[in-house]
Amino acid sequence: MQRSEEERFYMTCRAAYLSVFRSSLVNMTSKDQLCSVLQQAGRNPSQKALDKYWPPGTKKLNFDDFCEILKKEKAAEPDQLMKIFKKFDANCDGYISHDELSRILTSSGEKMSPKEVDEIFSLADVNKDGKLDYQYTFWLLESTVEQCQNAALEKLEADAKLKRQNFGNQMDNSPQSLEFQPERPASETQPRTEPETTQRKDSRSSSRPSSARSRRSSLSTAINMGAGSTKSGRLAEPKSLQDWHHTLMRGCFYLEEDGTIVSLQYRLIIPETTSVYLTIRPLNLSPIPDKPSPWMCVDSALYVVMGNETKEDSNLVCFTELRDKERFLWRGELNAGSYLLLPFTTGCRLMKRTRKTATKTAQLVNRTQSGELELTKEFQAALSDIFEVIDLDGSGLLSLEEYNFFEQRTSGEKCDEDAWAICKENFDTRKNELTRQGFLELNLMEANDREGDPRDLWLTLEAMGYNRSLEMVEACPFVIAVYCEDVKATLQAVHLDSGIKMLNSAVQRSITSKAEARSLKGHENVLVYTYKGESRISSVIANKSNQKLTVHINNEQSKNCVSSRGMSVFAVEVPARTKMVCQHVMALNEQQEWTYNCVETIIPSL
């Protein structure tokens, strides 16, 4: 079967990593080890690059970190290497003398010592004539790198067991077909009988660590989900909803460089006990009715907690479980009080790409015939969409508070009252707030301040989730609606990029409160909670023992699934006496049936 570019990339990562370490679970513990695995992957990192990837204070990096570094550390282009060699060749005779090479390597760039230059030259001077034939040396280097990569890949392909035991958190969409066990009612989720377990052992033994202890320490979960298996949330919608008090607030999920997802959090104040109807859904910005925005398939949820926003262990009150198409909703009664609303997405359909999705770089500014700068129509359209996203209350105007959330996201700074007053004097405003036209004028001013240099403009766009083709690929705008039957609630955005631990705690509690715990055989202190929602399956691992455990997760036998971890086989470390969200899984294609089939296995300590 022909592999995708993504699969080939991760096969290269694994092959390189396993050329240095015996397992992808082994951490790199030094800068030299990082350099070795990068070289095995065909990279030639400079000392400056290594210092960047291994900053002071770094103690270890794992396989996932290596994959992310490899995406950034591009292989040197052959033409560039040859140009560098030719630049060293002062006589243009195809050779570099010892003196020429020494003068350059000891006086510029990352300077080498004379001894290091002598060592390089002694290896490269194949004819022992005091000259370096750089064309031959270049061919030799290129050939050696290619041979190392091919040998590592062949070793990985040939050793099926080694291939299956590559642990990490990246994409591997090559599930094998298998007979799947149908979903069991909650009353039948007790451990299976021994004959049934024995039969399953044979079918999956090759995908687990080989020790006898690990074979006794597995847990298998299989759940079948139908095509488009979502109940209609309309059943929960009150008939008189249009008469209820309601308020709307927008926001956006932003995908960070490290793969985490952040968003605004909101403060909901209810003056007295009342029936409440909550919804969250992606915000469609497409002007074409039959062509919705591409992020409309991104799942969303809203977690309601009580407590201070700085307190990690706030009490989970409820979360949006029901689904109606792209809306996720909850209906119930809330007492008078102050609540935090924490937006959430699993990340199954909003994750970092292994390569840039942009096909070409869009132009942001033009010069008119009179020489004045103007924003291109494409850039204006993107800015208009950004305006819709940061216009949190949907009023068509930007308040100082709304604009500051935008500033915080794009520059990390805030606009004070004096600067805002100047803003209002120079750009189009209404009711002391910035209009859409004013927002465009502000960005045009920034372009003029930099004489048309688009670099800072691109930094803003990238922070808002855009790629170089002006496509929003790493963000998902959403809208929250709060309906109260008897009173009008107050909803206000309070924080950006905070509350991650609180959200993780809320998600964890929502799973453990709804799912039955099952222990791994031979490890009664290790429990797995598997929650089946209307559109996703989520799991939590609870380690009640007094030592850290590593759990191997194998989803290879799942069908038509995508995991929030981005890979079908990976491992998680669970500290002693803690619970950890393991993964979220959704259908890759919601129009088809999908099957979640997961095997959790304890990895023995090395």
Side-chain angles (χ1 to χ4, degrees), residues 5 55 70 74 84 323 559:
E5 182 176 340
L70 202 62
K74 303 299 181 184
I84 293 172
R323 180 183 180 186
K559 184 168 65 174

Side-chain angles (χ1 to χ4, degrees), residues 420-470:
W420 187 244
I422 295 172
C423 222
K424 290 188 291 184
E425 290 177 4
N426 290 276
F427 308 117
D428 189 49
T429 59
R430 190 164 67 248
K431 300 177 183 178
N432 291 320
E433 296 185 333
L434 197 63
T435 65
R436 188 187 307 266
Q437 180 59 34
F439 184 65
L440 294 176
E441 292 170 356
L442 188 151
N443 281 274
L444 178 58
M445 183 202 71
E446 290 190 3
N448 274 296
D449 286 347
R450 290 155 184 79
E451 299 182 342
D453 187 338
R455 284 178 290 184
D456 284 351
L457 299 176
W458 277 119
L459 290 175
T460 296
L461 287 165
E462 288 169 357
M464 297 302 291
Y466 283 82
N467 66 10
R468 291 293 170 127
S469 290
L470 288 180

